C-alpha cells in the first residue's frame, strides 16, 4: 500500500521509509554488532507499522451510526486527533490519523460501512483502538462555529517539514540513547552518530505512526 501525498497515511509511511533508509545507509559500514542493531530496529519498525496499518484498515469497535466531533488531545509531548463518538447513552473515543478537514469539522454523523469509518461523508483512518474512557491530558474541542482561518491553518499544519519538526520533539533523548549504546558497545564517535541518527528517526516515526496531530 503506497498512499498518495495527500493521503492521511502518507506521512506515517514516509517516516517508516526514512527509518529504513537510515538503517540501510549505515549497514555497509559496520560490523556484525552494528548490523544486528540496525536489523532489530528495522524489524521492529516494519512489524509495528504493519500492525498500525492493519488497525487503520480494520473494523473498529464503534457503532454502525452515531454522532461525533473531533477533539485534539495534548498530553505531554503527544498531540493526537480523536473522534468523540456518542450513540445513545454511550460515548467512546477513537484516535484517527490527522487530515486537514478535521480542523474545521463540526459535530457530524459518523457511519461505519464494513471496515470504513466515515465522518461527514469522508473516510477517516483509526490510529488505534477505541476506548471507553476519556484520553489522558487536555482535550480541546473544535470551535462550535467554523473558523474562517481554519482551512488556511490546516493547510499549513499538514506540511511535511512542519510535521517532522514537531514530531522531532520526542527525539530529545536520542543522544542519551546513543551514548548508552556507545557505552555498551565500547565504540567511538562514529558509532555514537550512527546510533543517535537511528534513534532520532525512530522517535519521529513512532510519533507519526501513532497518529500525531500537527494542528
Amino acid at each position: 500500500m503506497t498512499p498518495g501525498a495527500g493521503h492521511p497515511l502518507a506521512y506515517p509511511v514516509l517516516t517508516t521509509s526514512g527509518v529504513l533508509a537510515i538503517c540501510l545507509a549505515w549497514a555497509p559500514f559496520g560490523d556484525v554488532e552494528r548490523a544486528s542493531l540496525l536489523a532489530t530496529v528495522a524489524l521492529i519498525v516494519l512489524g509495528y507499522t504493519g500492525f498500525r496499518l492493519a488497525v487503520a484498515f480494520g473494523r473498529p469497535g464503534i457503532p454502525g451510526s452515531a454522532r461525533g466531533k473531533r477533539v485534539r488531545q495534548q498530553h505531554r509531548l503527544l498531540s493526537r486527533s480523536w473522534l468523540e463518538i456518542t450513540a445513545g447513552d454511550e460515548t467512546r473515543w477513537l484516535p484517527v490519523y490527522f487530515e486537514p478537514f478535521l480542523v474545521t469539522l463540526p459535530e457530524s454523523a459518523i457511519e461505519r460501512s464494513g471496515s470504513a469509518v466515515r465522518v461527514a461523508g469522508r473516510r477517516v483512518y483509526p490510529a488505534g483502538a477505541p476506548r471507553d474512557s476519556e484520553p489522558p491530558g487536555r482535550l480541546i474541542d473544535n470551535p462550535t462555529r467554523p473558523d474562517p482561518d481554519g482551512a488556511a491553518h490546516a493547510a499549513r499544519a499538514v506540511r511535511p517539514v512542519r510535521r517532522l519538526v514537531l514530531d522531532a520533539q520526542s527525539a530529545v533523548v536520542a543522544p542519551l540513547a546513543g551514548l548508552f549504546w556507545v557505552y555498551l558497545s565500547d565504540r567511538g564517535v562514529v558509532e555514537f552518530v550512527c546510533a543517535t541518527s537511528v534513534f532520532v528517526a525512530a522517535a519521529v516515526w513512532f510519533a507519526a505512526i501513532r497518529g500525531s496531530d500537527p494542528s
Side-chain angles (χ1 to χ4, degrees):
M1 190 275 298
T2 307
H7 196 283
L9 297 177
Y11 174 68
V13 170
L14 172 67
T15 58
T16 300
S17 302
V19 178
L20 298 179
I22 290 175
C23 290
L24 287 174
W26 280 107
F29 304 104
D31 56 12
V32 174
E33 189 173 10
R34 182 189 293 178
S36 298
L37 169 67
L38 297 174
T40 299
V41 172
L43 287 174
I44 291 173
V45 168
L46 281 173
Y48 194 64
T49 298
F51 168 73
R52 284 291 184 174
L53 293 179
V55 171
F57 286 96
R59 183 187 294 272
I62 62 172
S65 61
R67 300 288 297 179
K69 61 180 181 179
R70 177 251 187 178
V71 295
R72 184 167 66 85
Q73 175 198 23
Q74 191 67 50
H75 182 55
R76 300 192 180 102
L77 294 178
L78 173 69
S79 181
R80 301 175 81 186
S81 276
W82 294 72
L83 293 179
E84 187 177 291
I85 303 169
T86 303
D89 296 330
E90 181 183 9
T91 299
R92 307 196 80 184
W93 287 265
L94 177 70
V96 294
Y97 285 99
F98 178 77
E99 290 192 68
F101 88 93
L102 292 173
V103 173
T104 56
L105 180 73
E107 184 174 343
S108 305
I110 297 177
E111 299 178 346
R112 177 173 54 80
S113 176
S115 61
V117 179
R118 297 188 180 277
V119 182
R122 300 185 60 169
R123 182 169 185 175
V124 294
Y125 294 85
R131 53 183 293 159
D132 297 324
S133 59
E134 188 175 281
R138 187 162 62 104
L139 299 184
I140 304 169
D141 290 345
N142 274 10
T144 55
R145 296 182 178 180
D147 182 355
D149 298 325
H153 172 65
R156 291 192 299 268
V158 82
R159 293 172 181 170
V161 173
R162 172 185 166 85
R163 300 193 71 173
L164 288 170
V165 169
L166 291 175
D167 287 343
Q169 296 178 83
S170 58
V172 293
V173 298
L176 295 178
L179 287 173
F180 183 66
W181 173 249
V182 169
Y183 173 76
L184 291 179
S185 60
D186 195 21
R187 304 294 178 85
V189 175
V190 174
E191 196 70 17
F192 170 75
V193 174
C194 170
T196 300
S197 62
V198 170
F199 289 136
V200 167
V204 174
W205 159 81
F206 187 62
I209 203 65
R210 293 182 68 199
S212 60
D213 183 331
S215 66

